[in-house]
Amino acid sequence: MSIKKKQFLTVREVADRWQRPDRWVAEQASLGKVRGIKIGGVWRFDPDDIEAYEDGRKTGYRIELATRAHSRRMKQKNASA
Protein backbone atom coordinates (compact mmCIF):
# COMPACT_ATOMS: atom_id res chain seq x y z
CA MET A 1 0.00 0.00 0.00
CA SER A 2 1.41 3.37 -0.94
CA ILE A 3 0.59 6.63 0.75
CA LYS A 4 0.06 9.50 -1.62
CA LYS A 5 1.51 12.78 -0.43
CA LYS A 6 -0.77 15.79 -0.67
CA GLN A 7 0.81 18.77 -2.38
CA PHE A 8 0.00 22.04 -0.64
CA LEU A 9 0.19 25.48 -2.22
CA THR A 10 2.36 28.26 -0.82
CA VAL A 11 1.27 31.83 -0.16
CA ARG A 12 3.15 32.87 -3.30
CA GLU A 13 1.38 30.28 -5.46
CA VAL A 14 -2.06 31.36 -4.23
CA ALA A 15 -1.12 35.03 -4.61
CA ASP A 16 0.01 34.45 -8.20
CA ARG A 17 -3.16 32.50 -8.94
CA TRP A 18 -5.37 35.30 -7.59
CA GLN A 19 -3.12 38.17 -8.74
CA ARG A 20 -2.92 39.51 -5.19
CA PRO A 21 0.02 40.42 -2.95
CA ASP A 22 1.49 37.65 -0.80
CA ARG A 23 0.72 39.67 2.30
CA TRP A 24 -2.99 39.85 1.40
CA VAL A 25 -3.24 36.06 1.06
CA ALA A 26 -1.53 35.50 4.43
CA GLU A 27 -3.79 38.10 6.02
CA GLN A 28 -6.93 36.43 4.65
CA ALA A 29 -5.73 33.11 6.06
CA SER A 30 -5.01 34.70 9.45
CA LEU A 31 -8.51 36.18 9.49
CA GLY A 32 -10.02 32.79 8.62
CA LYS A 33 -11.41 34.00 5.31
CA VAL A 34 -9.30 31.50 3.37
CA ARG A 35 -8.74 28.04 4.80
CA GLY A 36 -5.08 27.24 5.34
CA ILE A 37 -2.75 25.66 7.84
CA LYS A 38 0.51 26.86 9.30
CA ILE A 39 3.37 24.42 9.03
CA GLY A 40 6.52 25.61 10.74
CA GLY A 41 5.14 29.14 10.88
CA VAL A 42 4.47 29.22 7.12
CA TRP A 43 1.00 29.19 5.57
CA ARG A 44 0.11 26.27 3.30
CA PHE A 45 -3.11 25.77 1.37
CA ASP A 46 -4.88 22.63 0.21
CA PRO A 47 -5.67 23.06 -3.51
CA ASP A 48 -9.16 21.62 -2.89
CA ASP A 49 -9.84 24.35 -0.30
CA ILE A 50 -8.62 27.04 -2.69
CA GLU A 51 -10.89 25.72 -5.43
CA ALA A 52 -13.83 25.59 -3.01
CA TYR A 53 -13.12 29.20 -1.99
CA GLU A 54 -13.00 30.25 -5.65
CA ASP A 55 -16.25 28.42 -6.38
CA GLY A 56 -17.83 30.08 -3.36
CA ARG A 57 -16.69 33.49 -4.55
CA LYS A 58 -18.35 32.89 -7.90
CA THR A 59 -21.66 31.76 -6.40
CA GLY A 60 -21.61 33.90 -3.28
CA TYR A 61 -21.85 30.78 -1.11
CA ARG A 62 -19.26 31.02 1.66
CA ILE A 63 -21.39 30.40 4.72
CA GLU A 64 -19.28 27.54 6.08
CA LEU A 65 -16.00 29.46 5.98
CA ALA A 66 -17.61 32.62 7.37
CA THR A 67 -19.23 30.69 10.22
CA ARG A 68 -15.97 28.97 11.08
CA ALA A 69 -14.08 32.29 11.07
CA HIS A 70 -16.74 33.92 13.27
CA SER A 71 -16.58 31.03 15.72
CA ARG A 72 -12.77 31.31 15.89
CA ARG A 73 -12.96 35.07 16.54
CA MET A 74 -15.51 34.57 19.30
CA LYS A 75 -13.30 31.97 20.99
CA GLN A 76 -10.33 34.34 20.84
CA LYS A 77 -12.41 37.20 22.18
CA ASN A 78 -13.73 35.11 25.09
CA ALA A 79 -10.26 33.77 25.89
CA SER A 80 -8.81 37.28 26.16
CA ALA A 81 -11.69 38.54 28.35
Side-chain angles (χ1 to χ4, degrees):
M1 173 166 47
S2 67
I3 298 175
K4 189 174 181 181
K5 282 188 176 181
K6 183 101 176 178
Q7 294 293 319
F8 288 93
L9 301 173
T10 64
V11 168
R12 170 62 49 93
E13 290 169 328
V14 175
D16 288 347
R17 182 175 176 150
W18 291 346
Q19 298 178 347
R20 295 284 194 153
D22 295 1
R23 187 178 203 169
W24 183 88
V25 173
E27 191 174 276
Q28 298 305 300
S30 293
L31 294 171
K33 294 182 178 181
V34 175
R35 184 183 289 172
I37 59 171
K38 268 195 167 179
I39 301 174
V42 179
W43 283 106
R44 297 286 187 233
F45 304 91
D46 183 326
D48 294 336
D49 290 338
I50 296 302
E51 287 180 23
Y53 177 85
E54 292 168 347
D55 290 344
R57 296 282 294 177
K58 289 176 190 168
T59 63
Y61 181 75
R62 292 189 17 208
I63 294 171
E64 181 184 350
L65 289 176
T67 302
R68 200 171 293 142
H70 175 72
S71 177
R72 190 176 311 134
R73 282 193 301 272
M74 293 306 293
K75 285 179 185 176
Q76 290 172 346
K77 183 179 178 181
N78 291 336
S80 65

PDB file of all heavy atoms in Angstrom, residues 44-73:
ATOM      1  N   ARG A  44       0.248  27.210   4.419  1.00  0.00           N
ATOM      2  CA  ARG A  44       0.106  26.265   3.304  1.00  0.00           C
ATOM      3  C   ARG A  44      -1.381  26.094   3.043  1.00  0.00           C
ATOM      4  O   ARG A  44      -2.202  26.155   3.959  1.00  0.00           O
ATOM      5  CB  ARG A  44       0.720  24.908   3.640  1.00  0.00           C
ATOM      6  CG  ARG A  44       2.212  24.965   3.877  1.00  0.00           C
ATOM      7  CD  ARG A  44       2.940  25.146   2.569  1.00  0.00           C
ATOM      8  NE  ARG A  44       4.377  25.030   2.787  1.00  0.00           N
ATOM      9  CZ  ARG A  44       5.245  25.926   2.401  1.00  0.00           C
ATOM     10  NH1 ARG A  44       4.847  27.000   1.763  1.00  0.00           N
ATOM     11  NH2 ARG A  44       6.518  25.759   2.622  1.00  0.00           N
ATOM     12  N   PHE A  45      -1.721  25.844   1.782  1.00  0.00           N
ATOM     13  CA  PHE A  45      -3.110  25.770   1.370  1.00  0.00           C
ATOM     14  C   PHE A  45      -3.371  24.508   0.569  1.00  0.00           C
ATOM     15  O   PHE A  45      -2.633  24.194  -0.369  1.00  0.00           O
ATOM     16  CB  PHE A  45      -3.469  26.994   0.526  1.00  0.00           C
ATOM     17  CG  PHE A  45      -3.200  28.286   1.240  1.00  0.00           C
ATOM     18  CD1 PHE A  45      -1.978  28.925   1.110  1.00  0.00           C
ATOM     19  CD2 PHE A  45      -4.152  28.841   2.070  1.00  0.00           C
ATOM     20  CE1 PHE A  45      -1.719  30.109   1.783  1.00  0.00           C
ATOM     21  CE2 PHE A  45      -3.904  30.021   2.753  1.00  0.00           C
ATOM     22  CZ  PHE A  45      -2.681  30.656   2.608  1.00  0.00           C
ATOM     23  N   ASP A  46      -4.444  23.822   0.938  1.00  0.00           N
ATOM     24  CA  ASP A  46      -4.876  22.634   0.206  1.00  0.00           C
ATOM     25  C   ASP A  46      -5.523  23.125  -1.093  1.00  0.00           C
ATOM     26  O   ASP A  46      -6.424  23.967  -1.051  1.00  0.00           O
ATOM     27  CB  ASP A  46      -5.889  21.868   1.060  1.00  0.00           C
ATOM     28  CG  ASP A  46      -6.347  20.571   0.428  1.00  0.00           C
ATOM     29  OD1 ASP A  46      -6.457  20.509  -0.815  1.00  0.00           O
ATOM     30  OD2 ASP A  46      -6.616  19.634   1.192  1.00  0.00           O
ATOM     31  N   PRO A  47      -5.084  22.620  -2.240  1.00  0.00           N
ATOM     32  CA  PRO A  47      -5.674  23.063  -3.512  1.00  0.00           C
ATOM     33  C   PRO A  47      -7.192  22.884  -3.564  1.00  0.00           C
ATOM     34  O   PRO A  47      -7.888  23.707  -4.159  1.00  0.00           O
ATOM     35  CB  PRO A  47      -4.983  22.177  -4.555  1.00  0.00           C
ATOM     36  CG  PRO A  47      -3.702  21.762  -3.916  1.00  0.00           C
ATOM     37  CD  PRO A  47      -3.986  21.672  -2.441  1.00  0.00           C
ATOM     38  N   ASP A  48      -7.707  21.835  -2.916  1.00  0.00           N
ATOM     39  CA  ASP A  48      -9.162  21.624  -2.890  1.00  0.00           C
ATOM     40  C   ASP A  48      -9.865  22.759  -2.144  1.00  0.00           C
ATOM     41  O   ASP A  48     -10.938  23.210  -2.545  1.00  0.00           O
ATOM     42  CB  ASP A  48      -9.505  20.286  -2.232  1.00  0.00           C
ATOM     43  CG  ASP A  48      -9.007  19.096  -3.037  1.00  0.00           C
ATOM     44  OD1 ASP A  48      -8.822  19.235  -4.266  1.00  0.00           O
ATOM     45  OD2 ASP A  48      -8.802  18.029  -2.434  1.00  0.00           O
ATOM     46  N   ASP A  49      -9.256  23.234  -1.056  1.00  0.00           N
ATOM     47  CA  ASP A  49      -9.835  24.349  -0.299  1.00  0.00           C
ATOM     48  C   ASP A  49      -9.809  25.638  -1.113  1.00  0.00           C
ATOM     49  O   ASP A  49     -10.744  26.433  -1.068  1.00  0.00           O
ATOM     50  CB  ASP A  49      -9.095  24.566   1.021  1.00  0.00           C
ATOM     51  CG  ASP A  49      -9.347  23.450   2.023  1.00  0.00           C
ATOM     52  OD1 ASP A  49     -10.372  22.746   1.894  1.00  0.00           O
ATOM     53  OD2 ASP A  49      -8.516  23.282   2.933  1.00  0.00           O
ATOM     54  N   ILE A  50      -8.731  25.839  -1.859  1.00  0.00           N
ATOM     55  CA  ILE A  50      -8.620  27.044  -2.688  1.00  0.00           C
ATOM     56  C   ILE A  50      -9.676  27.013  -3.791  1.00  0.00           C
ATOM     57  O   ILE A  50     -10.336  28.019  -4.050  1.00  0.00           O
ATOM     58  CB  ILE A  50      -7.194  27.180  -3.278  1.00  0.00           C
ATOM     59  CG1 ILE A  50      -6.170  27.372  -2.139  1.00  0.00           C
ATOM     60  CG2 ILE A  50      -7.117  28.307  -4.288  1.00  0.00           C
ATOM     61  CD1 ILE A  50      -6.433  28.574  -1.244  1.00  0.00           C
ATOM     62  N   GLU A  51      -9.860  25.845  -4.399  1.00  0.00           N
ATOM     63  CA  GLU A  51     -10.887  25.725  -5.435  1.00  0.00           C
ATOM     64  C   GLU A  51     -12.284  25.936  -4.850  1.00  0.00           C
ATOM     65  O   GLU A  51     -13.126  26.585  -5.466  1.00  0.00           O
ATOM     66  CB  GLU A  51     -10.791  24.371  -6.130  1.00  0.00           C
ATOM     67  CG  GLU A  51      -9.597  24.281  -7.054  1.00  0.00           C
ATOM     68  CD  GLU A  51      -9.485  22.951  -7.759  1.00  0.00           C
ATOM     69  OE1 GLU A  51     -10.517  22.244  -7.895  1.00  0.00           O
ATOM     70  OE2 GLU A  51      -8.375  22.608  -8.182  1.00  0.00           O
ATOM     71  N   ALA A  52     -12.530  25.406  -3.655  1.00  0.00           N
ATOM     72  CA  ALA A  52     -13.832  25.592  -3.005  1.00  0.00           C
ATOM     73  C   ALA A  52     -14.056  27.067  -2.701  1.00  0.00           C
ATOM     74  O   ALA A  52     -15.167  27.584  -2.878  1.00  0.00           O
ATOM     75  CB  ALA A  52     -13.903  24.771  -1.717  1.00  0.00           C
ATOM     76  N   TYR A  53     -13.014  27.761  -2.261  1.00  0.00           N
ATOM     77  CA  TYR A  53     -13.116  29.199  -1.992  1.00  0.00           C
ATOM     78  C   TYR A  53     -13.451  29.942  -3.288  1.00  0.00           C
ATOM     79  O   TYR A  53     -14.327  30.794  -3.310  1.00  0.00           O
ATOM     80  CB  TYR A  53     -11.809  29.714  -1.399  1.00  0.00           C
ATOM     81  CG  TYR A  53     -11.796  31.192  -1.151  1.00  0.00           C
ATOM     82  CD1 TYR A  53     -12.320  31.722   0.023  1.00  0.00           C
ATOM     83  CD2 TYR A  53     -11.266  32.071  -2.090  1.00  0.00           C
ATOM     84  CE1 TYR A  53     -12.323  33.081   0.261  1.00  0.00           C
ATOM     85  CE2 TYR A  53     -11.261  33.433  -1.862  1.00  0.00           C
ATOM     86  CZ  TYR A  53     -11.782  33.932  -0.693  1.00  0.00           C
ATOM     87  OH  TYR A  53     -11.784  35.288  -0.466  1.00  0.00           O
ATOM     88  N   GLU A  54     -12.743  29.594  -4.363  1.00  0.00           N
ATOM     89  CA  GLU A  54     -12.997  30.250  -5.648  1.00  0.00           C
ATOM     90  C   GLU A  54     -14.425  29.982  -6.130  1.00  0.00           C
ATOM     91  O   GLU A  54     -15.099  30.894  -6.610  1.00  0.00           O
ATOM     92  CB  GLU A  54     -11.980  29.764  -6.685  1.00  0.00           C
ATOM     93  CG  GLU A  54     -10.575  30.235  -6.402  1.00  0.00           C
ATOM     94  CD  GLU A  54      -9.525  29.542  -7.239  1.00  0.00           C
ATOM     95  OE1 GLU A  54      -9.821  28.516  -7.893  1.00  0.00           O
ATOM     96  OE2 GLU A  54      -8.380  30.014  -7.223  1.00  0.00           O
ATOM     97  N   ASP A  55     -14.879  28.754  -5.986  1.00  0.00           N
ATOM     98  CA  ASP A  55     -16.251  28.419  -6.377  1.00  0.00           C
ATOM     99  C   ASP A  55     -17.247  29.202  -5.541  1.00  0.00           C
ATOM    100  O   ASP A  55     -18.254  29.686  -6.046  1.00  0.00           O
ATOM    101  CB  ASP A  55     -16.520  26.924  -6.228  1.00  0.00           C
ATOM    102  CG  ASP A  55     -15.772  26.084  -7.253  1.00  0.00           C
ATOM    103  OD1 ASP A  55     -15.299  26.652  -8.259  1.00  0.00           O
ATOM    104  OD2 ASP A  55     -15.656  24.866  -7.027  1.00  0.00           O
ATOM    105  N   GLY A  56     -16.960  29.327  -4.255  1.00  0.00           N
ATOM    106  CA  GLY A  56     -17.827  30.083  -3.356  1.00  0.00           C
ATOM    107  C   GLY A  56     -17.870  31.548  -3.722  1.00  0.00           C
ATOM    108  O   GLY A  56     -18.910  32.204  -3.628  1.00  0.00           O
ATOM    109  N   ARG A  57     -16.745  32.088  -4.136  1.00  0.00           N
ATOM    110  CA  ARG A  57     -16.693  33.491  -4.552  1.00  0.00           C
ATOM    111  C   ARG A  57     -17.551  33.712  -5.787  1.00  0.00           C
ATOM    112  O   ARG A  57     -18.187  34.743  -5.925  1.00  0.00           O
ATOM    113  CB  ARG A  57     -15.255  33.929  -4.847  1.00  0.00           C
ATOM    114  CG  ARG A  57     -14.312  33.899  -3.673  1.00  0.00           C
ATOM    115  CD  ARG A  57     -14.483  35.044  -2.764  1.00  0.00           C
ATOM    116  NE  ARG A  57     -14.107  36.270  -3.432  1.00  0.00           N
ATOM    117  CZ  ARG A  57     -14.217  37.451  -2.893  1.00  0.00           C
ATOM    118  NH1 ARG A  57     -14.680  37.578  -1.691  1.00  0.00           N
ATOM    119  NH2 ARG A  57     -13.879  38.530  -3.540  1.00  0.00           N
ATOM    120  N   LYS A  58     -17.570  32.748  -6.671  1.00  0.00           N
ATOM    121  CA  LYS A  58     -18.353  32.886  -7.901  1.00  0.00           C
ATOM    122  C   LYS A  58     -19.850  32.815  -7.622  1.00  0.00           C
ATOM    123  O   LYS A  58     -20.634  33.500  -8.239  1.00  0.00           O
ATOM    124  CB  LYS A  58     -17.965  31.784  -8.891  1.00  0.00           C
ATOM    125  CG  LYS A  58     -16.586  31.958  -9.477  1.00  0.00           C
ATOM    126  CD  LYS A  58     -16.223  30.797 -10.358  1.00  0.00           C
ATOM    127  CE  LYS A  58     -14.755  30.866 -10.737  1.00  0.00           C
ATOM    128  NZ  LYS A  58     -14.285  29.637 -11.346  1.00  0.00           N
ATOM    129  N   THR A  59     -20.238  31.959  -6.669  1.00  0.00           N
ATOM    130  CA  THR A  59     -21.658  31.759  -6.396  1.00  0.00           C
ATOM    131  C   THR A  59     -22.155  32.577  -5.211  1.00  0.00           C
ATOM    132  O   THR A  59     -23.354  32.655  -4.973  1.00  0.00           O
ATOM    133  CB  THR A  59     -21.949  30.274  -6.095  1.00  0.00           C
ATOM    134  OG1 THR A  59     -21.244  29.902  -4.910  1.00  0.00           O
ATOM    135  CG2 THR A  59     -21.556  29.384  -7.246  1.00  0.00           C
ATOM    136  N   GLY A  60     -21.221  33.150  -4.461  1.00  0.00           N
ATOM    137  CA  GLY A  60     -21.610  33.902  -3.277  1.00  0.00           C
ATOM    138  C   GLY A  60     -21.891  33.012  -2.081  1.00  0.00           C
ATOM    139  O   GLY A  60     -22.365  33.464  -1.047  1.00  0.00           O
ATOM    140  N   TYR A  61     -21.570  31.736  -2.175  1.00  0.00           N
ATOM    141  CA  TYR A  61     -21.852  30.781  -1.105  1.00  0.00           C
ATOM    142  C   TYR A  61     -20.578  30.502  -0.315  1.00  0.00           C
ATOM    143  O   TYR A  61     -19.751  29.717  -0.728  1.00  0.00           O
ATOM    144  CB  TYR A  61     -22.393  29.484  -1.692  1.00  0.00           C
ATOM    145  CG  TYR A  61     -22.740  28.457  -0.644  1.00  0.00           C
ATOM    146  CD1 TYR A  61     -23.891  28.584   0.126  1.00  0.00           C
ATOM    147  CD2 TYR A  61     -21.924  27.358  -0.424  1.00  0.00           C
ATOM    148  CE1 TYR A  61     -24.211  27.656   1.080  1.00  0.00           C
ATOM    149  CE2 TYR A  61     -22.242  26.424   0.530  1.00  0.00           C
ATOM    150  CZ  TYR A  61     -23.387  26.581   1.285  1.00  0.00           C
ATOM    151  OH  TYR A  61     -23.693  25.651   2.237  1.00  0.00           O
ATOM    152  N   ARG A  62     -20.432  31.229   0.800  1.00  0.00           N
ATOM    153  CA  ARG A  62     -19.259  31.015   1.655  1.00  0.00           C
ATOM    154  C   ARG A  62     -19.685  30.928   3.113  1.00  0.00           C
ATOM    155  O   ARG A  62     -18.948  31.299   4.002  1.00  0.00           O
ATOM    156  CB  ARG A  62     -18.282  32.158   1.475  1.00  0.00           C
ATOM    157  CG  ARG A  62     -17.660  32.170   0.107  1.00  0.00           C
ATOM    158  CD  ARG A  62     -16.544  33.148  -0.010  1.00  0.00           C
ATOM    159  NE  ARG A  62     -16.055  33.556   1.275  1.00  0.00           N
ATOM    160  CZ  ARG A  62     -15.488  34.719   1.520  1.00  0.00           C
ATOM    161  NH1 ARG A  62     -15.336  35.573   0.583  1.00  0.00           N
ATOM    162  NH2 ARG A  62     -15.059  35.038   2.726  1.00  0.00           N
ATOM    163  N   ILE A  63     -20.852  30.423   3.366  1.00  0.00           N
ATOM    164  CA  ILE A  63     -21.385  30.400   4.724  1.00  0.00           C
ATOM    165  C   ILE A  63     -20.505  29.575   5.653  1.00  0.00           C
ATOM    166  O   ILE A  63     -20.216  29.989   6.767  1.00  0.00           O
ATOM    167  CB  ILE A  63     -22.831  29.851   4.719  1.00  0.00           C
ATOM    168  CG1 ILE A  63     -23.724  30.832   3.970  1.00  0.00           C
ATOM    169  CG2 ILE A  63     -23.335  29.602   6.131  1.00  0.00           C
ATOM    170  CD1 ILE A  63     -25.113  30.327   3.690  1.00  0.00           C
ATOM    171  N   GLU A  64     -20.066  28.409   5.211  1.00  0.00           N
ATOM    172  CA  GLU A  64     -19.279  27.537   6.076  1.00  0.00           C
ATOM    173  C   GLU A  64     -17.995  28.211   6.532  1.00  0.00           C
ATOM    174  O   GLU A  64     -17.687  28.223   7.718  1.00  0.00           O
ATOM    175  CB  GLU A  64     -18.949  26.230   5.357  1.00  0.00           C
ATOM    176  CG  GLU A  64     -18.144  25.282   6.230  1.00  0.00           C
ATOM    177  CD  GLU A  64     -17.724  24.025   5.492  1.00  0.00           C
ATOM    178  OE1 GLU A  64     -18.206  23.784   4.382  1.00  0.00           O
ATOM    179  OE2 GLU A  64     -16.910  23.297   6.049  1.00  0.00           O
ATOM    180  N   LEU A  65     -17.256  28.794   5.615  1.00  0.00           N
ATOM    181  CA  LEU A  65     -16.004  29.463   5.985  1.00  0.00           C
ATOM    182  C   LEU A  65     -16.267  30.667   6.876  1.00  0.00           C
ATOM    183  O   LEU A  65     -15.550  30.892   7.850  1.00  0.00           O
ATOM    184  CB  LEU A  65     -15.227  29.895   4.739  1.00  0.00           C
ATOM    185  CG  LEU A  65     -14.587  28.787   3.931  1.00  0.00           C
ATOM    186  CD1 LEU A  65     -13.930  29.367   2.678  1.00  0.00           C
ATOM    187  CD2 LEU A  65     -13.570  28.031   4.747  1.00  0.00           C
ATOM    188  N   ALA A  66     -17.294  31.445   6.573  1.00  0.00           N
ATOM    189  CA  ALA A  66     -17.613  32.622   7.370  1.00  0.00           C
ATOM    190  C   ALA A  66     -18.020  32.216   8.786  1.00  0.00           C
ATOM    191  O   ALA A  66     -17.607  32.845   9.767  1.00  0.00           O
ATOM    192  CB  ALA A  66     -18.724  33.428   6.710  1.00  0.00           C
ATOM    193  N   THR A  67     -18.802  31.160   8.906  1.00  0.00           N
ATOM    194  CA  THR A  67     -19.233  30.688  10.221  1.00  0.00           C
ATOM    195  C   THR A  67     -18.045  30.202  11.029  1.00  0.00           C
ATOM    196  O   THR A  67     -17.913  30.506  12.216  1.00  0.00           O
ATOM    197  CB  THR A  67     -20.270  29.557  10.067  1.00  0.00           C
ATOM    198  OG1 THR A  67     -21.361  30.054   9.315  1.00  0.00           O
ATOM    199  CG2 THR A  67     -20.745  29.054  11.402  1.00  0.00           C
ATOM    200  N   ARG A  68     -17.163  29.476  10.399  1.00  0.00           N
ATOM    201  CA  ARG A  68     -15.971  28.966  11.083  1.00  0.00           C
ATOM    202  C   ARG A  68     -15.085  30.127  11.546  1.00  0.00           C
ATOM    203  O   ARG A  68     -14.574  30.120  12.659  1.00  0.00           O
ATOM    204  CB  ARG A  68     -15.205  28.053  10.134  1.00  0.00           C
ATOM    205  CG  ARG A  68     -14.270  27.129  10.865  1.00  0.00           C
ATOM    206  CD  ARG A  68     -13.676  26.091   9.966  1.00  0.00           C
ATOM    207  NE  ARG A  68     -14.722  25.180   9.524  1.00  0.00           N
ATOM    208  CZ  ARG A  68     -14.785  24.665   8.316  1.00  0.00           C
ATOM    209  NH1 ARG A  68     -13.890  24.965   7.423  1.00  0.00           N
ATOM    210  NH2 ARG A  68     -15.748  23.842   7.986  1.00  0.00           N
ATOM    211  N   ALA A  69     -14.912  31.132  10.715  1.00  0.00           N
ATOM    212  CA  ALA A  69     -14.084  32.289  11.074  1.00  0.00           C
ATOM    213  C   ALA A  69     -14.719  33.056  12.230  1.00  0.00           C
ATOM    214  O   ALA A  69     -14.024  33.486  13.156  1.00  0.00           O
ATOM    215  CB  ALA A  69     -13.904  33.208   9.869  1.00  0.00           C
ATOM    216  N   HIS A  70     -16.040  33.221  12.193  1.00  0.00           N
ATOM    217  CA  HIS A  70     -16.739  33.924  13.268  1.00  0.00           C
ATOM    218  C   HIS A  70     -16.577  33.163  14.585  1.00  0.00           C
ATOM    219  O   HIS A  70     -16.304  33.754  15.631  1.00  0.00           O
ATOM    220  CB  HIS A  70     -18.216  34.076  12.933  1.00  0.00           C
ATOM    221  CG  HIS A  70     -19.021  34.690  14.033  1.00  0.00           C
ATOM    222  ND1 HIS A  70     -18.916  36.020  14.350  1.00  0.00           N
ATOM    223  CD2 HIS A  70     -19.901  34.155  14.900  1.00  0.00           C
ATOM    224  CE1 HIS A  70     -19.712  36.281  15.373  1.00  0.00           C
ATOM    225  NE2 HIS A  70     -20.326  35.156  15.714  1.00  0.00           N
ATOM    226  N   SER A  71     -16.721  31.867  14.528  1.00  0.00           N
ATOM    227  CA  SER A  71     -16.582  31.029  15.718  1.00  0.00           C
ATOM    228  C   SER A  71     -15.175  31.166  16.307  1.00  0.00           C
ATOM    229  O   SER A  71     -14.999  31.281  17.519  1.00  0.00           O
ATOM    230  CB  SER A  71     -16.864  29.575  15.364  1.00  0.00           C
ATOM    231  OG  SER A  71     -16.676  28.755  16.467  1.00  0.00           O
ATOM    232  N   ARG A  72     -14.168  31.171  15.450  1.00  0.00           N
ATOM    233  CA  ARG A  72     -12.774  31.309  15.893  1.00  0.00           C
ATOM    234  C   ARG A  72     -12.557  32.671  16.554  1.00  0.00           C
ATOM    235  O   ARG A  72     -11.927  32.771  17.600  1.00  0.00           O
ATOM    236  CB  ARG A  72     -11.847  31.145  14.696  1.00  0.00           C
ATOM    237  CG  ARG A  72     -10.392  31.019  15.084  1.00  0.00           C
ATOM    238  CD  ARG A  72      -9.479  30.769  13.889  1.00  0.00           C
ATOM    239  NE  ARG A  72      -9.978  29.704  13.047  1.00  0.00           N
ATOM    240  CZ  ARG A  72     -10.057  29.769  11.728  1.00  0.00           C
ATOM    241  NH1 ARG A  72      -9.678  30.837  11.085  1.00  0.00           N
ATOM    242  NH2 ARG A  72     -10.525  28.759  11.023  1.00  0.00           N
ATOM    243  N   ARG A  73     -13.110  33.730  15.967  1.00  0.00           N
ATOM    244  CA  ARG A  73     -12.957  35.075  16.543  1.00  0.00           C
ATOM    245  C   ARG A  73     -13.631  35.162  17.907  1.00  0.00           C
ATOM    246  O   ARG A  73     -13.104  35.774  18.837  1.00  0.00           O
ATOM    247  CB  ARG A  73     -13.536  36.127  15.602  1.00  0.00           C
ATOM    248  CG  ARG A  73     -12.629  36.460  14.438  1.00  0.00           C
ATOM    249  CD  ARG A  73     -13.082  37.719  13.713  1.00  0.00           C
ATOM    250  NE  ARG A  73     -14.436  37.628  13.197  1.00  0.00           N
ATOM    251  CZ  ARG A  73     -14.770  37.137  12.007  1.00  0.00           C
ATOM    252  NH1 ARG A  73     -13.844  36.685  11.213  1.00  0.00           N
ATOM    253  NH2 ARG A  73     -16.023  37.110  11.621  1.00  0.00           N
TER     254      ARG A  73
END
